[in-house]
Amino acid sequence: MSADITTTSPETAPQPSPGPAPVDKRVPRGHKRLLTRRDRVTLAFMAGVPTVLHVALVWVTAIASIFLAFTSWDGIGFDSIKWVGLDNFKQLFSDNPQFWPAVEHNIIWFVVLILIPTPMGLFLAVQLDKKIRFSRVYQTAYFLPVVVSLAVTGFVWQLVYNPDTGLINSLIGANKPGHYIDWIGDPHLNLWAVLVAASWRHTGYMMILYLAGLKGVDPSLREASSLDGANEWQTFKNVIFPTLRPTNTVVLVVTIIEALRAFDLVFVFNKGAQGTELLSILITNNIIGESSRIGYGSAIAVVLLVISLAVIIPYLIATFRKERRA
Amino acid sequence: MDLSPSGLSLPSTSRRSVLRGVGGAALLAGAGIPLLSACGSSSSGSDSKTVSVGSNDSDAVPKKAYAAVYDAFKKQSGITVDVNTKDHNTFQEQINSYLQGTPDDVFKWFAGYRMQFFAKKGLASPIDDVWDKIGGNFPDAMKKLSKGEDGKYYFVPMTTYPWAIFYRKSVFQAKGYQVPTTWDELVALCKKMKKDGLVPIAFGDKDAWPAMGTFDQINFRLNGYDFHVELMAGKAAWTDAKVKAVFDHWAELLPYHQDGFMGRTWQDAAQTLVSKKAGMYLLGTFVAQQFTNKADLDDLDFFAFPEINSAHGQDTVEAPTDGFMVSKAPKNKAGMLKLMEYLGTPGAEELYLKGDPSVVAASNKASTASYSPLQKKAFEMISNAKSLTQFMDRDSRPDFTSTVMQPSLQKFLQNPKGVDSLLASIERQKKTIFAS
């Protein structure tokens, strides 16, 4: 891979320069160093401290969690770590009644986000891009849900959905015995109820991304297509949308990440009870608390990590390939 | 938000997300690593005039009530109590690493299996010498609750409260209902209430633990205290016909429970009892907190869960008990002993209850003179019990109850018909958890 780069990119072209770089020509070599001692100490700190922190907090812990996935540990004393091989994964795939629903819900989460709020966000962005009056006001209104923390969003929507005193049931009178709609508890309903809240937020997010993308569309393209007699829909479909390709990639990645890290909204809503299980919540439930099942929880975390990598690695490869070509 | 749509920003977005993913998993794993999450206590504790106490009493009422107890202790002994209060939930989540790090001399905890768990792990000190002095202050059921599996004492109980079926005296009077003492009477009463347009049994299981209370009641009424203990300790099988019978009884009662309980908190369910829309409610005495109007509170009464099996009658009471334990290596041993002895006296409990009348004393020597009628009844119920249980998640491994039982009971409530496969699944998961 690095060989490819050196042959194709002009900056690092492999012509072995006969002499030192131009800067060095002016500076006599050997006696004076480019950096003072102080500079070097500063640099060492600037590079060293983040590296140590990064390695300790990201890599060591990540690798520790992969290691722990093959053990059984209650978190009390390191000597109670027992190697159990693949047992955790076996149990997870066969005995845990919540695991497969959780995977399914994470997938549903992604599909819904990509099918509903994403086109909605694009639609809103296109409308706002027409420089209509009060465009800023609308923009702010739609973006507001993104600014609010998801935990708060969950709390607010929980009030809306509360089966006894919530807004919806009070309005439609579905809080009486006999005809009762349990938005939070019914396993056939609650995931969709949460997804409405998630979509409500995601629409604004997508709108901002697309709005930024639309600002980058060359106005002469629009002009040209209108000169050619294309109507608004044709212009959008054949001219504008194709130029949004890079934005679409960002949108796809962002949406996948949103689906995989979905947590806070559901945790506040009903703690991932029947019908709303998510991988992230299973991890938390197993790891946090007294006499925790750290090995088992880590095994779920590893599954989530593998899924994330399976999505992200192809994307990174594609991006790097594109860069190399550019 | 400066995500530009140009290709340039793409790698950075994704790199960040990779780190976020990896870091998230790592942080979660890190939560269990004592090095990272050890929550140090501030106390000095090294001088002989101070004892440090780790407390989860973050609510204003118990915090103040305990402050009064510690003040009285200082006056009597000259030893200052240095309290290190943490939020209730945080305290529970961090208890593992807290006890492994540098814990306070004495810490607040729960009786029963959860106490025994830390005793077995060597994270608590036995206090038999304290019990030599305070033993006479407690009934046998409380003594049983304070012992570890090795037969040594590890716990000094302070307060407790029973679970029972709550109702409004005025409603029962107006409709001519009788307090049911047998299962058949209970079912018949539910039927009558339904006909009268009442919700027979208020219920809310959004927090997933209230359902455990119903299971416990039916289980020890039907199968007795010993089976409850065996089942909770992972010794009896969940596929046992006795457990199946519990769910069968529960299924019989389920149609009389309030609709939509999965999305309702216990507080909201209690409101239906307050507003007299519901006839009964099975909960702990803390339900009284929802009765803010004095007249309503005076109207509140309760009865023990009816008898199902005459071999066991109503001899067991579910009474979660809170109290104190000593950490593995207390710095001020002499002071700690004095404090624990003091906390085990009826006087300390009376003082505490003055500040917090929502619970009752664990000691049967404490004066009941200042009790409300509800407290008096609760106290009698506990004192007369042959056996006391603590609640499913206090009598069993918390990892089992939170990751297996909470979702399983909710599954049963959603679909009372699939009990056999559910019990088989619980048993499989139980075996792996208890084997670890």
Side-chain angles (χ1 to χ4, degrees), chain B residues 209-366:
Chain B
W209 53 260
M212 291 176 172
T214 313
F215 178 88
D216 283 351
Q217 296 286 342
I218 302 177
N219 185 32
F220 54 64
R221 286 284 179 267
L222 191 64
N223 302 318
Y225 172 78
D226 294 334
F227 184 75
H228 167 87
V229 173
E230 272 175 48
L231 187 67
M232 293 302 131
K235 285 172 191 144
W238 282 83
T239 43
D240 194 314
K242 285 178 171 174
V243 182
K244 176 84 172 19
V246 174
F247 283 98
D248 288 344
H249 277 79
W250 199 351
E252 193 184 340
L253 215 54
L254 213 48
Y256 306 107
H257 281 66
Q258 192 174 5
D259 266 357
F261 42 75
M262 292 282 288
R264 186 182 298 113
T265 59
W266 72 263
Q267 289 95 335
D268 284 344
Q271 284 307 316
T272 47
L273 191 66
V274 173
S275 60
K276 297 189 181 181
K277 282 179 193 147
M280 297 177 275
Y281 191 15
L282 170 59
L283 209 73
T285 48
F286 53 85
V287 71
Q289 291 167 12
Q290 295 295 309
F291 287 70
T292 42
N293 185 336
K294 174 88 170 55
D296 286 338
L297 186 60
D298 290 343
D299 192 33
L300 183 69
D301 200 355
F302 64 87
F303 56 87
F305 196 86
E307 168 186 315
I308 303 177
N309 179 347
S310 58
H312 306 296
Q314 294 177 310
D315 62 359
T316 306
V317 172
E318 181 129 278
T321 305
D322 296 345
F324 292 87
M325 289 178 80
V326 177
S327 60
K328 60 178 186 292
K331 289 181 197 109
N332 182 355
K333 207 157 178 240
M336 168 281 287
L337 283 173
K338 272 192 192 141
L339 176 64
M340 293 301 268
E341 270 165 34
Y342 176 73
L343 291 170
T345 59
E349 296 196 359
E350 283 163 22
L351 196 56
Y352 175 78
L353 293 170
K354 231 180 248 171
D356 177 12
S358 73
V359 285
V360 300
S363 161
N364 53 354
K365 294 278 164 64

Side-chain angles (χ1 to χ4, degrees), chain B residues 72-92:
Chain B
F73 173 66
K74 192 186 174 183
K75 256 180 222 148
Q76 186 206 58
S77 66
I79 298 172
T80 310
V81 177
D82 180 9
V83 191
N84 174 15
T85 307
K86 235 171 277 168
D87 166 70
H88 203 275
N89 288 326
T90 316
F91 187 84
Q92 236 151 288

Side-chain angles (χ1 to χ4, degrees), chain A residues 61-62 65 74-75 77 95 97 158 164 180 182 185 187 246 250 257 269 273-274 287 290-291 293 312 315-316 323, chain B residues 5 10-11 14 17-18 22 26 28-29 96 100 109 114 117 121 206 260 262 264 268 399 407 410 414 428-429 433:
Chain A
T61 38
S65 109
D74 58 13
D95 285 344
Q158 198 194 2
D164 293 317
Y180 198 90
D182 190 359
V250 179
I257 293 167
F269 194 70
Q274 301 297 309
I287 288 186
E290 21 163 345
S291 68
R293 306 174 69 190
I312 284 155
Y315 166 73
L316 281 183
E323 260 184 15
Chain B
L10 294 181
S14 67
S17 65
V18 173
V22 175
L28 285 169
N96 262 350
Q100 292 179 75
W109 199 234
R114 277 161 116 164
F117 179 79
K121 291 279 176 188
K206 185 161 184 267
M262 292 282 288
R264 186 182 298 113
D268 284 344
D399 49 358
Q410 288 198 328
Q414 298 284 353
R428 273 202 307 275
Q429 296 181 74
I433 290 182

Side-chain angles (χ1 to χ4, degrees), chain B residues 2-271:
Chain B
D2 67 326
L3 258 177
S4 103
S6 75
L8 280 175
S9 74
L10 294 181
S12 85
T13 310
S14 67
R15 189 177 60 234
R16 228 178 291 141
S17 65
V18 173
L19 296 186
R20 199 186 285 146
V22 175
L27 272 183
L28 285 169
I33 297 176
L35 275 177
L36 288 173
S37 53
C39 29
S41 61
S42 54
S43 63
S44 49
S46 46
D47 62 306
S48 60
K49 285 285 163 223
T50 318
V51 178
S52 64
V53 173
S55 165
N56 59 355
D57 293 304
S58 47
D59 294 330
V61 170
K63 196 174 176 180
K64 215 175 137 204
Y66 270 118
V69 175
Y70 301 140
D71 280 349
F73 173 66
K74 192 186 174 183
K75 256 180 222 148
Q76 186 206 58
S77 66
I79 298 172
T80 310
V81 177
D82 180 9
V83 191
N84 174 15
T85 307
K86 235 171 277 168
D87 166 70
H88 203 275
N89 288 326
T90 316
F91 187 84
Q92 236 151 288
E93 278 163 13
Q94 297 179 340
I95 184 80
N96 262 350
S97 39
Y98 167 71
L99 290 180
Q100 292 179 75
T102 47
D104 299 290
D105 297 344
V106 172
F107 64 98
K108 192 83 193 296
W109 199 234
F110 312 111
Y113 193 99
R114 277 161 116 164
M115 171 270 292
Q116 293 175 342
F117 179 79
F118 290 122
K120 202 165 74 182
K121 291 279 176 188
L123 294 173
S125 306
I127 44 168
D128 286 6
D129 29 0
V130 172
W131 273 87
D132 287 344
K133 296 196 177 132
I134 63 171
N137 299 338
F138 293 94
D140 283 345
M142 278 295 163
K143 285 182 187 161
K144 207 154 72 178
L145 274 180
S146 307
K147 278 183 196 160
E149 282 172 9
D150 57 2
K152 288 181 186 157
Y153 286 102
Y154 285 93
F155 185 79
V156 170
M158 276 298 280
T159 59
T160 181
Y161 60 88
W163 275 62
I165 297 181
F166 289 81
Y167 67 99
R168 303 286 301 257
K169 280 181 271 190
S170 61
V171 172
F172 270 49
Q173 222 157 30
K175 309 264 182 177
Y177 299 145
Q178 295 293 318
V179 166
T181 53
T182 65
W183 177 260
D184 292 337
E185 283 175 25
L186 177 68
V187 175
L189 179 60
C190 285
K191 275 189 189 143
K192 220 190 278 170
M193 284 182 172
K194 202 167 187 178
K195 222 184 268 165
D196 294 345
L198 279 172
V199 172
I201 302 173
F203 191 35
D205 198 40
K206 185 161 184 267
D207 301 317
W209 53 260
M212 291 176 172
T214 313
F215 178 88
D216 283 351
Q217 296 286 342
I218 302 177
N219 185 32
F220 54 64
R221 286 284 179 267
L222 191 64
N223 302 318
Y225 172 78
D226 294 334
F227 184 75
H228 167 87
V229 173
E230 272 175 48
L231 187 67
M232 293 302 131
K235 285 172 191 144
W238 282 83
T239 43
D240 194 314
K242 285 178 171 174
V243 182
K244 176 84 172 19
V246 174
F247 283 98
D248 288 344
H249 277 79
W250 199 351
E252 193 184 340
L253 215 54
L254 213 48
Y256 306 107
H257 281 66
Q258 192 174 5
D259 266 357
F261 42 75
M262 292 282 288
R264 186 182 298 113
T265 59
W266 72 263
Q267 289 95 335
D268 284 344
Q271 284 307 316

Side-chain angles (χ1 to χ4, degrees), chain A:
Chain A
M1 194 160 123
S2 59
D4 272 353
I5 290 172
T6 45
T7 47
T8 50
S9 91
E11 292 91 357
T12 51
Q15 338 124 8
S17 41
V23 187
D24 287 332
K25 267 180 195 160
R26 267 175 269 129
V27 181
R29 295 204 74 189
H31 298 293
K32 273 191 190 166
R33 288 211 175 100
L34 222 56
L35 299 170
T36 64
R37 193 185 156 77
R38 210 183 129 156
D39 284 344
R40 269 179 292 145
V41 171
T42 315
L43 262 183
F45 261 104
M46 283 171 68
V49 172
T51 308
V52 168
L53 282 178
H54 177 82
V55 168
L57 294 177
V58 177
W59 287 101
V60 171
T61 38
I63 290 164
S65 109
I66 294 173
F67 162 76
L68 286 172
F70 299 96
T71 66
S72 148
W73 187 34
D74 58 13
I76 299 181
F78 289 111
D79 51 345
S80 65
I81 303 181
K82 261 188 290 174
W83 186 262
V84 295
L86 287 172
D87 277 8
N88 286 334
F89 291 96
K90 269 186 222 150
Q91 275 171 52
L92 193 57
F93 295 141
S94 60
D95 285 344
N96 190 325
Q98 293 172 288
F99 177 72
W100 290 113
V103 173
E104 191 191 321
H105 296 152
N106 272 101
I107 295 171
I108 293 178
W109 200 280
F110 167 71
V111 171
V112 168
L113 285 191
I114 209 81
L115 287 183
I116 297 165
T118 307
M120 271 291 286
L122 176 60
F123 175 77
L124 291 175
V126 170
Q127 301 312 310
L128 288 175
D129 195 42
K130 288 178 187 159
K131 300 190 178 68
I132 45 177
R133 260 209 290 179
F134 309 124
S135 149
R136 294 254 157 138
V137 177
Y138 294 131
Q139 206 170 311
T140 314
Y142 292 125
F143 193 64
L144 216 55
V146 188
V147 179
V148 179
S149 133
L150 265 179
V152 176
T153 310
F155 183 69
V156 171
W157 279 86
Q158 198 194 2
L159 295 178
V160 174
Y161 281 126
N162 185 308
D164 293 317
T165 54
L167 177 73
I168 302 179
N169 276 7
S170 302
L171 282 181
I172 63 175
N175 53 4
K176 295 182 199 76
H179 35 97
Y180 198 90
I181 305 180
D182 190 359
W183 299 102
I184 298 175
D186 188 335
H188 304 292
L189 275 180
N190 51 15
L191 182 67
W192 307 108
V194 188
L195 278 169
V196 168
S199 301
W200 173 72
R201 176 183 184 273
H202 201 66
T203 303
Y205 196 1
M206 295 297 101
M207 178 199 74
I208 284 293
L209 290 184
Y210 277 120
L211 206 53
L214 288 169
K215 298 275 186 237
V217 174
D218 192 342
S220 61
L221 283 175
R222 278 178 219 266
E223 219 174 293
S225 74
S226 70
L227 282 178
D228 284 345
N231 66 23
E232 208 170 326
W233 169 242
Q234 284 168 328
T235 310
F236 175 75
K237 196 178 127 213
N238 299 322
V239 180
I240 312 285
F241 192 68
T243 59
L244 286 177
R245 235 194 106 176
T247 313
N248 281 329
T249 320
V250 179
V251 162
L252 184 69
V253 171
V254 164
T255 309
I256 291 172
I257 293 167
E258 288 282 310
L260 287 176
R261 65 173 194 157
F263 173 77
D264 14 21
L265 194 57
V266 171
F267 197 74
V268 174
F269 194 70
N270 71 351
K271 297 219 163 58
Q274 301 297 309
T276 56
E277 295 95 338
L278 290 172
L279 286 173
S280 52
I281 288 182
L282 291 191
I283 298 171
T284 316
N285 285 349
N286 277 290
I287 288 186
I288 305 285
E290 21 163 345
S291 68
S292 19
R293 306 174 69 190
I294 291 172
Y296 194 63
S298 301
I300 311 174
V302 167
V303 171
L304 187 60
L305 182 70
V306 168
I307 297 176
S308 313
L309 290 179
V311 173
I312 284 155
I313 288 175
Y315 166 73
L316 281 183
I317 291 174
T319 315
F320 283 137
R321 226 179 252 154
K322 220 183 288 161
E323 260 184 15
R324 237 176 285 139
R325 250 182 263 128

